[in-house]
Amino acid sequence: MKQLKTVDQLVSWRLCLGCGACLHACEDKNIKLIDIPDEGLRPTVNTASCKRCGKCMEVCPGAKVTHQKFNDKSMPQLRRSWGPVLEVWEGYASDPEIRFRGSSGGLVTALALFCQKEKQMAGVLHIGADPQKAWRNVPVISRNRSELLANSGSRYSPAAPCEMIASVEKADSPCVFVGKPCDVEALYKLQQVKPKLKDKVGLSISIFCAGTPSTNGNKAMLEVMGVKPSEVVEIRYRGCGWPGMTTVKHRDNGQLYQLTYEQSWGQILSNYVPLRCRLCPDGTGEFADISCGDPWYRDIEPDEPGQSLILVRTERGRRLLRDAIDAGYIKLVKAEHEIVALSQKSLLNKRRNLWGRLFAMHLMRVPTPHFVGFSLFAGWWKLSVSQQIRSVFGTFYRIVSRKLNRPSDNCSTGV
């Protein structure tokens, strides 16, 4: 099988996650990000001046992700499928406005605000809307409540928070880092090669993630809504209710266009998730201090306010979460470990099918990411025989029909 040695090779084989870590790792600044419409944000390398030092690949979560030994205090019932989890909670932000505007209870925003105001952290590195093109994302550092609220809520389009990690390194005090699971994996890998960065991140929070829809996915959604990308002045994918409506505001007349969450994500955006996202075993942020997502284990009542499912993964995360409860920023109740699988059935199913998919790709000599410590075979073995067969032979079919056994020829054309 072909050994991938550079990020441009990784991109051509569709294995990039678009986190932006390689930009920070390249000391010679030979990498920039471009938006490949049917893939996402991807690095392009100045091959003329690149020294092929390999530092970009060293921090790349698209190429390899390795778990270290789990904390002995982590819950044994969750380790194989959900990584290290010390505690499971359910709850919401105490601030009614933060709770309302958040995608699922406002926990991430409330925790970030607590760290800023009570722990004197310098800011929060997360994702906000591009002020010029609202359907795109840019990394931002929020430093107060109003900025956090302005950038709250899920953003179902390409995002690269690690592109701005240098601002965290230069901060006067630690910052909060909020990202997708792959972004936090990238942060973890950056911290291994730049140990000083460990002291600059006071808390890492991951949102649950089923994949990042491409720009083409967003354009397809806008087309269904009857809005051109150039006409969009504001877009909220979720929030202002639970799970909330996808709402687009017209630039000229202020008219609002809406789709339900099921219509926007379930019927459109989820069909535009790139290959590497479909090969990801970590949908819940296993390398973060705290992970947050939706408790979908029960039906949501009409007009029910948002709730968050919280996984505490580190002692630092446990300490700060308890402090936030005591300070009145969040309201939580302890939850049983069973609700994790009940809440995120699709993420569990994807993880259990992954070994079969990777096995098929190996047989077809298609490059794959390398995962260590995720118990993928054990998860695959829990599937029925028919499911195991489909995971392998379904992948054979997709490799041939989508020509995945050859490098992409459109991964160098951005917008």
Side-chain angles (χ1 to χ4, degrees):
M1 184 181 301
K2 181 178 178 63
Q3 182 73 26
L4 305 183
K5 298 181 179 181
T6 62
V7 292
D8 47 351
Q9 292 176 339
L10 196 86
V11 170
S12 69
W13 282 100
R14 311 167 190 86
L15 295 182
C16 175
L17 286 161
C19 65
C22 54
L23 273 74
H24 188 65
C26 182
E27 296 175 355
D28 296 324
K29 309 302 179 185
N30 289 317
I31 298 175
K32 67 176 183 178
L33 287 184
I34 61 173
D35 184 12
I36 300 173
D38 61 352
E39 283 283 320
L41 294 172
R42 299 295 183 258
T44 179
V45 181
N46 183 348
T47 56
S49 57
C50 177
K51 298 177 181 178
R52 305 292 178 181
C53 64
K55 291 181 179 179
C56 55
M57 291 291 283
E58 193 174 354
V59 302
C60 177
K64 182 177 181 179
V65 184
T66 301
H67 263 306
Q68 304 301 321
K69 185 179 183 297
F70 292 166
N71 188 323
D72 291 337
K73 297 179 182 178
S74 63
M75 303 172 74
Q77 305 94 330
L78 299 180
R79 289 174 187 165
R80 282 192 168 183
S81 297
W82 309 100
V85 179
L86 303 182
E87 297 173 350
V88 181
W89 296 80
E90 186 176 352
Y92 52 88
S94 300
D95 184 318
E97 184 178 12
I98 290 178
R99 183 181 187 184
F100 178 69
R101 295 187 64 174
S103 293
S104 52
L107 244 294
V108 173
T109 303
L111 278 172
L113 182 62
F114 163 76
C115 288
Q116 280 189 290
K117 294 187 68 175
E118 308 300 332
K119 298 297 182 180
Q120 289 75 50
M121 294 193 190
V124 180
L125 174 54
H126 58 151
I127 290 299
D130 186 329
Q132 304 302 319
K133 298 179 179 179
W135 43 276
R136 288 186 172 179
N137 292 325
V138 292
V140 296
I141 292 187
S142 295
R143 303 185 188 278
N144 52 52
R145 181 181 181 276
S146 62
E147 291 177 354
L148 282 168
L149 276 173
N151 297 303
S152 64
S154 298
R155 300 282 308 171
Y156 294 138
S157 59
C162 290
E163 183 182 4
M164 202 175 178
I165 200 71
S167 297
V168 173
E169 280 191 317
K170 298 174 184 177
D172 295 332
S173 60
C175 295
V176 179
F177 181 94
V178 180
K180 307 180 300 297
C182 58
D183 301 325
V184 180
E185 291 167 3
L187 171 67
Y188 173 80
K189 298 189 80 168
L190 281 167
Q191 289 174 324
Q192 306 314 301
V193 298
K194 296 190 173 186
K196 291 183 179 180
L197 186 56
K198 295 180 181 179
D199 297 329
K200 290 295 187 175
V201 178
L203 179 69
S204 61
I205 303 174
S206 175
I207 56 174
F208 292 3
C209 180
T212 302
S214 66
T215 293
N216 280 350
N218 278 264
K219 289 182 177 179
M221 183 188 72
L222 292 175
E223 183 176 356
V224 170
M225 300 174 90
V227 187
K228 297 178 181 179
S230 60
E231 297 172 336
V232 177
V233 69
E234 182 181 346
I235 179 169
R236 287 191 67 89
Y237 294 83
R238 288 186 56 184
C240 298
W242 186 38
M245 302 287 287
T246 298
T247 304
V248 171
K249 184 177 181 180
H250 197 284
R251 179 179 299 277
D252 296 329
N253 57 27
Q255 183 177 347
L256 300 181
Y257 300 79
Q258 292 187 318
L259 294 174
T260 65
Y261 175 68
E262 171 56 32
Q263 289 171 324
S264 62
W265 169 259
Q267 298 177 17
I268 304 172
L269 294 173
S270 61
N271 296 318
Y272 289 85
V273 172
L275 173 66
R276 180 58 180 82
C277 288
R278 300 186 187 278
L279 300 177
C280 177
D282 181 9
T284 60
E286 298 178 22
F287 289 79
D289 293 311
I290 293 174
S291 305
C292 294
D294 289 288
W296 296 132
Y297 66 92
R298 58 180 176 81
D299 294 332
I300 300 175
E301 298 296 327
D303 299 321
E304 182 177 349
Q307 293 272 355
S308 291
L309 177 64
I310 304 98
L311 307 182
V312 178
R313 298 191 178 276
T314 67
E315 293 295 345
R316 178 170 67 179
R318 180 178 1 220
R319 183 181 68 255
L320 288 172
L321 190 77
R322 297 288 179 90
D323 289 348
I325 295 172
D326 293 342
Y329 281 75
I330 56 178
K331 296 181 180 180
L332 304 183
V333 294
K334 271 289 188 69
E336 300 298 325
H337 69 84
E338 291 89 352
I339 75 166
V340 180
L342 294 173
S343 296
Q344 300 294 329
K345 294 178 182 178
S346 62
L347 292 182
L348 180 60
N349 183 61
K350 182 176 79 167
R351 183 175 178 131
R352 287 181 171 174
N353 277 276
L354 186 51
W355 188 89
R357 294 174 181 174
L358 295 173
F359 178 66
M361 292 175 73
H362 278 290
L363 291 180
M364 296 287 286
R365 302 190 67 78
V366 178
T368 65
H370 185 48
F371 301 113
V372 178
F374 286 88
S375 302
L376 296 183
F377 182 78
W380 183 77
W381 196 248
K382 290 185 178 181
L383 297 175
S384 67
V385 173
S386 62
Q387 289 173 321
Q388 291 174 345
I389 292 173
R390 280 199 300 271
S391 71
V392 176
F393 284 89
T395 304
F396 284 152
Y397 172 78
R398 287 187 290 273
I399 289 173
V400 174
S401 63
R402 300 177 187 178
K403 300 179 181 180
L404 301 178
N405 57 338
R406 63 186 71 174
S408 172
D409 57 4
N410 68 342
C411 280
S412 60
T413 305
V415 297

